[in-house]
Amino acid sequence: MSPLITRRRAAAAVLTTALLIPLAACGDSGSDQDKDKDSGSKAASSGAPKADLTVLAAASLTDVFKEAGAAYEKENPGTRVTFSFAGSQELAAQVKQGAPADALVTADTRTMDGLTGETGTPAVIAKNRLVIAVGEGNPEKVENLKDLSDAELKVVLAAPEVPVGRYSKQILDAQKIEVKPVSQEPNVRAVLSKVELGEADAGIVYKTDAATATDKIDAIDIPDAENAVASYPAATLKGSKHSEAAAAFVAWLSTPAAQKILQGAGFQQP
């Protein structure tokens, strides 16, 4: 073989090697980028679900849920919780009509049970009891449930289809006490407002609602033997567009952090 051919083959080999090195480097770089991308995706998906949640909640949860919602948002940056408060029967009607929401909390299990096809499995997160709300200083000297039967007394109750109205009827019927209310309100906050404004002498409300207006009303305790226990179930809604985030919020309501807030407002342990 001539020296010229030998030199040409050697040069070709060097050139081929020079070309392959950058290609191999490009191949390795692409693989590393893919690995980095996959790692980043996994890291992003490992965090708590973030979403703008809408929660339908019983009117008696108005004050405590505002505090609870703020605490949840602080624990879960990137998530925002908006509440819509109303009587449980109103909330149930909204769910049946397809209102856009992610979770539901009612003031009784009966209302929640009527929405089985619309919700996930509910869990009771708190309990409550009833008291008699009267004007500050108790000007009419109301002492017990029997006093509410006085025809001279202006008593306001929640409508019987409202959980607190149903509980009120239950305890009055059990004691064979007949009360003729001057009005029947759509939720417990409306009952409380009537007493606060002096438009009623007395009304039956939840203990936790009475606690929000101690500067305007007095609360007369009802003995446990004559009282009723209200249970508050919470559940996700099947129509939610943020099912994982909704489930996380509902689960959080049973955690020590949430229970501390609920019990601080006067709610009982579930």
Side-chain angles (χ1 to χ4, degrees), residues 152-166:
E152 299 296 320
L153 199 68
K154 291 187 294 183
V155 179
V156 61
L157 300 174
E161 61 268 20
V162 183
V164 70
R166 188 162 57 251

Side-chain angles (χ1 to χ4, degrees), residues 61-71 83 85 261:
L61 294 165
T62 299
D63 296 276
V64 70
F65 261 21
K66 288 178 180 178
E67 181 181 352
F83 296 102
F85 299 104
I261 295 172

